Amino acid sequence: WHLESFFMTSQNVVIVTTTFYKSKEAEIRKSLSRDFFEKSRKIGCEVVNVDGGTPDSAYINDLKRMGVYVYAETRRGLGNSRREAVSHARSIAQSKGIEYMLWSEPEKVDLVRSIPYLLDMASVKQEDAVVPLRENMTGYPKAQELSECFGNQRHSDHGYIDRVGNSIDTFFGPKLWHINSTSYFLVFGEPKV
């Protein structure tokens, strides 16, 4: 990718994420997320973040200075804050004519360089969603490896598979989708579901 096409392609996606860095151990995660936000903005992505109450106002102000849309969480819980972030991002995407949304945890800094590839896969192949797949789980804590493998298998058993029948690594995190599919991500907050 040339930087110019990288920049122009990246302007067609809004990145959605959440943060909540309360403990002193979170300093490394805050540092990674700053890098993620900075790189995302540098390539032209709009970025929406819902923060769950990080007490470090300097951190929040840094994000705002970078041009990140930062909202305070209004409904407690990881799922609720993610749905809030997706709702805010959809409004921004619609107002700016952005076609795609990308969810990621903000500590996954290296994902930023893959955004043009993910967008290309979605638009060229006319996919509603693209979910990256981990090659392996080497280095993960054993409990996380087992629980995520089990969770992915359960999802596969319930039909979370790609168009050719392969399992989707739903527990990895990052997901890119066309804005028209956003309601599928928001429906999980409904009491009937």
Side-chain angles (χ1 to χ4, degrees):
W1 284 88
H2 296 294
L3 185 59
E4 184 178 303
S5 64
F6 188 88
F7 182 80
M8 292 188 64
T9 302
S10 299
Q11 289 180 324
N12 199 24
V13 65
V14 59
I15 297 173
V16 187
T17 194
T18 58
T19 52
F20 180 47
Y21 302 129
K22 188 174 179 182
S23 66
K24 291 198 182 287
E25 293 81 28
E27 291 305 313
I28 291 172
R29 294 179 70 212
K30 277 198 291 192
S31 177
L32 289 168
S33 71
R34 276 187 178 102
D35 196 17
F36 176 86
F37 292 128
E38 185 177 352
K39 287 180 177 182
S40 298
R41 291 295 298 140
K42 191 172 190 173
I43 64 168
C45 295
E46 296 294 344
V47 182
V48 173
N49 179 51
V50 167
D51 185 76
T54 299
D56 182 354
S57 61
Y59 170 76
I60 300 299
N61 289 333
D62 283 349
L63 301 186
K64 290 177 180 177
R65 274 193 292 279
M66 288 180 209
V68 174
Y69 294 91
V70 180
Y71 299 91
E73 178 184 78
T74 61
R75 294 179 57 214
R76 289 282 178 226
L78 187 57
N80 289 330
S81 65
R82 287 181 178 185
R83 284 185 291 279
E84 280 187 57
V86 168
S87 293
H88 290 302
R90 178 171 54 183
S91 295
I92 290 165
Q94 289 171 330
S95 72
K96 295 183 177 252
I98 295 171
E99 293 182 84
Y100 292 94
M101 298 176 74
L102 173 80
W103 162 264
S104 180
E105 295 84 355
E107 299 85 11
K108 292 184 173 156
V109 178
D110 200 41
L111 178 70
V112 176
R113 69 185 174 100
S114 299
I115 290 172
Y117 175 75
L118 295 172
L119 284 166
D120 191 47
M121 294 303 295
S123 63
V124 170
K125 294 190 174 196
Q126 298 180 335
E127 299 291 350
D128 294 325
V130 175
V131 181
L133 176 69
R134 293 174 278 200
E135 289 182 18
N136 61 58
M137 296 182 76
T138 304
Y140 282 78
K142 197 64 171 169
Q144 182 180 0
E145 178 184 347
L146 292 172
S147 67
E148 291 187 11
C149 286
F150 176 78
N152 281 332
Q153 183 59 54
R154 292 290 295 154
H155 281 165
S156 294
D157 293 345
H158 290 286
Y160 286 81
I161 54 176
D162 68 14
R163 69 171 55 206
V164 295
N166 295 322
S167 296
I168 297 173
D169 191 357
T170 57
F171 281 82
F172 178 47
K175 293 158 186 58
L176 179 126
W177 66 91
H178 193 277
I179 190 171
N180 292 341
S181 299
T182 301
S183 57
Y184 295 109
F185 292 88
L186 297 175
V187 73
F188 291 101
E190 297 296 321
K192 289 180 183 178
V193 176

